[in-house]
Amino acid sequence: KWLNQAEGLIKKAQTLAPDLPEYYAALIEIYLLKEAGFNEDTREIAFELIQEGIKKYPYFSQLNSIAGVYYFLRFGEEGNEADFERALEYKEKSFWADTTRLENFVLAELLMLKREFSKAAGICEIIKEYDFSSLAKFRLGEVYYYQGDLDKSEAVFHEFDNAPMRLKIDSMFYLAMIAAQRKEKDRALQIIDKINLL
């Protein structure tokens, strides 16, 4: 119901001020949500809008970002490496078009999947300057963890001691895994007990 209302409002706005790049990004997102959440067959419509929108507005950050999501979802379902590369290409384009957009920290996740940890850390370092939610800093801790730099990862996750509960607990999971990797069984179990208590 809400997605249909949103779609209607976007189409109405588009008649008043046609050809703005935001329409493409918002409509694509709605169609992806309809398919993912409600099994509506809207993927082809989303794909056509991506092609049309990117052709008109090749450097609009929000549009490139949602195009990256589209290709990443397709990669997750079909496992086609070319889709992953397209997702990465669009997410990188989105990032460099506007480095302040918080959702661009997903680029770091894609780079981690390619094992390009230094590039992923660099992306997080840039985004965290504008990020009041600390999600980019959290992602940086993950980058260090999967890179195998447990000291740096631990230092980042210790900064979440006074964070909102969800981030605090998630950081404690990583601290427990770090302790386990160091064979500090008692420390790992203490952290797990604290997580259970929280």
Side-chain angles (χ1 to χ4, degrees):
K1 176 183 170 183
W2 291 109
L3 287 172
N4 289 337
Q5 281 187 343
E7 183 181 359
L9 287 168
I10 290 167
K11 287 181 175 177
K12 184 178 179 182
Q14 198 167 14
T15 62
L16 300 172
D19 282 337
L20 292 177
E22 290 85 356
Y23 298 137
Y24 288 98
L27 280 173
I28 293 162
E29 190 167 358
I30 287 168
Y31 292 137
L32 291 180
L33 287 168
K34 281 184 172 188
E35 176 154 342
F38 302 99
N39 295 317
E40 289 191 32
D41 189 19
T42 52
R43 179 177 294 200
E44 278 306 310
I45 302 168
F47 183 64
E48 288 168 16
L49 284 170
I50 286 169
Q51 290 180 309
E52 185 182 329
I54 292 290
K55 189 174 179 182
K56 286 184 179 180
Y57 307 102
Y59 302 107
F60 183 61
S61 179
Q62 187 182 353
L63 181 54
N64 278 284
S65 181
I66 197 67
V69 170
Y70 170 85
Y71 281 102
F72 190 58
L73 289 172
R74 205 162 84 168
F75 166 71
E77 291 172 3
E78 300 172 14
N80 185 337
E81 286 289 325
D83 286 334
F84 180 83
E85 292 301 326
R86 294 296 297 277
L88 187 58
E89 175 190 328
Y90 282 119
K91 280 294 186 182
E92 280 185 309
K93 216 168 169 186
S94 172
F95 175 75
W96 292 115
D98 184 356
T99 57
T100 64
R101 291 179 62 78
L102 180 56
E103 65 269 18
N104 283 331
F105 77 84
V106 172
L107 172 58
E109 184 177 348
L110 299 184
L111 289 167
M112 280 196 295
L113 289 171
K114 281 195 78 172
R115 305 188 63 77
E116 295 184 13
F117 297 111
S118 295
K119 279 177 81 173
I123 297 297
C124 292
E125 289 288 356
I126 293 169
I127 295 173
K128 77 181 179 119
E129 298 301 316
Y130 312 100
D131 174 21
F132 298 106
S133 70
S134 297
L135 291 173
K137 186 194 288 184
F138 186 89
R139 178 60 41 87
L140 184 61
E142 290 180 312
V143 171
Y144 291 143
Y145 177 81
Y146 291 110
Q147 188 177 21
D149 193 335
L150 300 184
D151 291 338
K152 279 188 179 178
S153 181
E154 183 178 41
V156 171
F157 288 124
H158 272 305
E159 292 181 37
F160 288 91
D161 285 346
N162 297 315
M165 191 59 72
R166 183 73 255 162
L167 278 176
K168 179 175 180 159
I169 290 172
D170 287 349
S171 67
M172 290 172 69
F173 276 115
Y174 276 98
L175 290 171
M177 291 190 294
I178 289 167
Q181 280 199 42
R182 290 176 171 158
K183 310 259 191 282
E184 298 171 357
K185 180 181 175 183
D186 291 341
R187 173 79 181 127
L189 290 172
Q190 282 175 350
I191 296 169
I192 292 167
D193 286 343
K194 193 171 178 184
I195 291 169
N196 286 330
L197 186 63
L198 290 172

